[in-house]
Amino acid sequence: MAGTEGGDVSQGMNLKDALKEVLRNALIHDGLARGIREAVKALDKRQALLCVLAKNCTEAAYIRLVEALCSEHQIKLLKIEDKEELGEWVGLCKIDKDGKPRKIVKCSCVVVKEIGVDSEAWSVVQDYIKSKGGSM
């Protein structure tokens, strides 16, 4: 991640940690659309609160499609560096007995449809998007 990796955004919580917490809460409350097919369906139905897209996605058509749907429906888009990291954050991996992620499935696009609980992490992510525009 470039730019804000270690920087404090709000009371000791950086953007990376805040986004991880928001994605985890959404996963617990069944509010995530993971993968391009589910994400496009959620974006087209305007169910999305936030879209997270990996910058290192190999398909340029995917990136253009997601960006176009987000701009058309006024949905906030946040870009992160690594799709493997995104896959780990949204639970597309196995956790071994030591608590370390194994067999991580890469995920280029995730849509948050429901945040579950309105937490400080959600506020940090919203503030960042309003101030910076959406690229981590």
Side-chain angles (χ1 to χ4, degrees):
M1 289 174 56
T4 62
E5 186 171 354
D8 289 338
V9 177
S10 172
Q11 290 119 12
M13 180 178 280
N14 66 20
L15 181 60
K16 183 178 177 180
D17 293 336
L19 184 59
K20 282 167 68 173
E21 185 178 322
V22 166
L23 292 174
R24 187 158 309 161
N25 285 340
L27 180 63
I28 291 169
H29 291 91
D30 197 31
L32 281 183
R34 302 177 285 188
I36 192 72
R37 184 181 174 95
E38 289 181 27
V40 167
K41 282 183 183 178
L43 289 170
D44 206 26
K45 291 179 182 178
R46 299 177 184 181
Q47 297 173 333
L49 300 173
L50 172 70
C51 181
V52 183
L53 182 66
K55 289 180 184 175
N56 67 346
C57 178
T58 55
E59 289 289 330
Y62 287 175
I63 294 171
R64 285 195 308 269
L65 175 64
V66 171
E67 287 175 343
L69 284 171
C70 286
S71 66
E72 180 182 335
H73 300 307
Q74 289 85 34
I75 296 168
K76 295 169 181 74
L77 176 66
L78 186 63
K79 292 184 180 179
I80 66 163
E81 294 294 325
D82 189 26
K83 60 185 174 182
E84 187 169 329
E85 194 172 49
L86 184 58
E88 179 185 340
W89 292 352
V90 297
L92 295 174
C93 63
K94 301 281 185 189
I95 305 294
D96 67 5
K97 61 184 175 185
D98 298 328
K100 296 189 171 131
R102 301 278 186 232
K103 296 184 180 180
I104 301 169
V105 177
K106 297 173 185 170
C107 184
S108 296
C109 185
V110 174
V111 169
V112 178
K113 298 187 290 186
E114 181 183 332
I115 58 170
V117 292
D118 194 13
S119 63
E120 177 191 352
W122 179 246
S123 300
V124 169
V125 171
Q126 293 289 54
D127 292 343
Y128 178 80
I129 291 171
K130 286 177 187 169
S131 66
K132 301 284 186 192
S135 186
M136 264 170 82

